[in-house]
Amino acid sequence: MIHKGLVLEGGGMRGLYTAGVLDLFLEKGMIFDYVIGVSAGACNAVSYISRQKGRNKIVNTAYVDDWRYMSLKSLVKNGSLFGMDFIFDEIPNRKVPFDFETFNSSPVIFKIGVTDCTTGKPLYFDKEDIDRKFTVLRASSSLPLVSPIVKFKGYHLLDGGITDPIPVRQAITDGYQKTVIVLTRNKGYQKEPISHPLRLLLEKKYRDYPGLIEAMINRYKIYNETLDYIDELEHRGQAVVIRPSEKLEVDRFEKNAEKLIALFDQGFEDASAAYELSFSLLS
């Protein structure tokens, strides 16, 4: 196993890029002994830890036209744009079986980042907290405004990307001074502040969670500061950063299967190039 931290950003359907990267790692037999991710990054990580090469690609493309996977109908009918029961119960337990046995027996340390709506701070759950319905992953993937708050172990939780979008600092806190970081945005991307109308909508919907509102307002600062920190780590030789080398043609809610498969292929190719160029850090 590789004694380095593997840090995975979220990004909704942009996570197909991460799926390609992780499949290259599996093909090369590269198993990191510590993985931390949020949202789509955490979702991709479970199939990596269960060593099911190709599974993430199938899960994220085969059902993209099914209204139960992602649709306005799902939002109206179930209160969530992404069909959480379909994605985290129907698919892994019946359609594209998830290997719970290999996952649970894996020695890989796995942490999933979520946002505590009450405090507006990040929380991190462990591999052992994942149940058969992937409640923690549901929480980490529950986007504000288009997903309901998830209640788990007394917490009220939403998307981990709100408060710790690229959890490299947590990886370092956990003792992994060198990391491989998989991003789902192009080099040079900077997040913009939320608009005034969106801020008003958040303040109305989450008026009982002032910490969450503050976190959402400051999210762009946290994200951009984290990118600057990652640049420093990369410059010091403490991180290998894998990010899309071509201009992204996929957004968070993309439903075009051809674009998604192309993004997966790009992730695989970029990871292959990074593997060849940065083997000294990965070994």
Side-chain angles (χ1 to χ4, degrees):
M1 296 185 75
I2 300 171
H3 185 62
K4 304 289 186 296
L6 178 59
V7 180
L8 306 176
E9 183 182 9
M13 301 308 290
R14 293 193 305 273
L16 263 295
Y17 180 82
T18 302
V21 172
L22 297 181
D23 268 15
L24 183 281
F25 288 171
L26 287 174
E27 183 173 291
K28 297 292 187 181
M30 295 170 56
I31 304 298
F32 293 78
D33 61 7
Y34 175 98
V35 181
I36 186 169
V38 299
S39 196
C43 293
N44 280 312
V46 295
S47 293
Y48 168 74
I49 295 170
S50 67
R51 305 197 185 196
Q52 291 178 274
K53 183 175 179 288
R55 183 177 183 274
N56 283 324
K57 182 179 180 181
I58 296 171
V59 168
N60 288 286
T61 60
Y63 303 99
V64 73
D65 289 327
D66 191 316
W67 74 267
R68 295 172 297 172
Y69 185 89
M70 177 178 59
S71 65
L72 291 176
K73 180 177 179 179
S74 176
L75 181 61
V76 172
K77 185 178 178 66
N78 301 314
S80 179
L81 185 68
F82 287 93
M84 295 302 190
D85 287 338
F86 184 70
I87 293 171
F88 293 110
D89 185 7
E90 179 73 14
I91 289 178
N93 288 307
R94 285 172 284 281
K95 293 188 176 298
V96 190
F98 179 71
D99 188 346
F100 282 97
E101 183 177 356
T102 298
F103 177 80
N104 290 328
S105 63
S106 171
V108 173
I109 298 168
F110 178 38
K111 291 201 170 184
I112 308 98
V114 297
T115 293
D116 183 341
C117 297
T118 304
T119 65
K121 303 294 183 183
L123 285 175
Y124 307 93
F125 288 99
D126 299 318
K127 179 159 65 75
E128 292 72 24
D129 293 308
I130 293 180
D131 55 26
R132 297 286 298 193
K133 292 189 176 182
F134 297 98
T135 306
V136 172
L137 291 183
R138 293 181 187 223
S140 188
S141 304
S142 291
L143 304 175
L145 299 179
V146 295
S147 300
I149 289 172
V150 174
K151 296 179 181 179
F152 183 68
K153 291 191 172 183
Y155 294 103
H156 292 190
L157 306 171
L158 277 176
D159 176 30
I162 298 171
T163 49
D164 195 7
I166 312 165
V168 62
R169 285 186 172 89
Q170 185 61 39
I172 292 172
T173 297
D174 290 338
Y176 290 82
Q177 299 303 310
K178 289 191 174 184
T179 56
V180 174
I181 304 168
V182 182
L183 304 180
T184 56
R185 290 286 193 180
N186 296 118
K187 179 74 172 177
Y189 172 80
Q190 290 280 287
K191 192 173 288 295
E192 298 291 333
I194 62 174
S195 66
H196 183 65
L198 180 57
R199 176 170 177 164
L200 293 178
L201 184 59
L202 290 169
E203 289 174 344
K204 180 178 181 180
K205 183 173 179 63
Y206 298 113
R207 57 186 175 274
D208 295 332
Y209 301 97
L212 175 64
I213 295 171
E214 183 179 0
M216 286 294 299
I217 292 171
N218 293 321
R219 184 187 180 197
Y220 79 101
K221 295 180 182 178
I222 295 171
Y223 187 87
N224 295 338
E225 288 170 358
T226 303
L227 287 179
D228 290 340
Y229 180 59
I230 288 171
D231 286 344
E232 292 178 14
L233 294 175
E234 190 175 25
H235 180 72
R236 296 201 300 259
Q238 290 180 247
V240 169
V241 180
I242 304 174
R243 50 161 55 98
S245 58
E246 304 292 334
K247 183 180 178 181
L248 280 174
E249 300 293 341
V250 168
D251 62 31
R252 180 181 291 272
F253 304 120
E254 184 64 61
K255 290 178 69 70
N256 185 309
E258 289 185 3
K259 288 184 178 181
L260 293 171
I261 292 171
L263 185 59
F264 172 91
D265 292 341
Q266 184 184 342
F268 190 92
E269 292 166 5
D270 288 349
S272 180
Y275 176 81
E276 297 297 333
L277 292 172
S278 307
F279 183 77
S280 60
L281 177 59
L282 303 180
S283 59

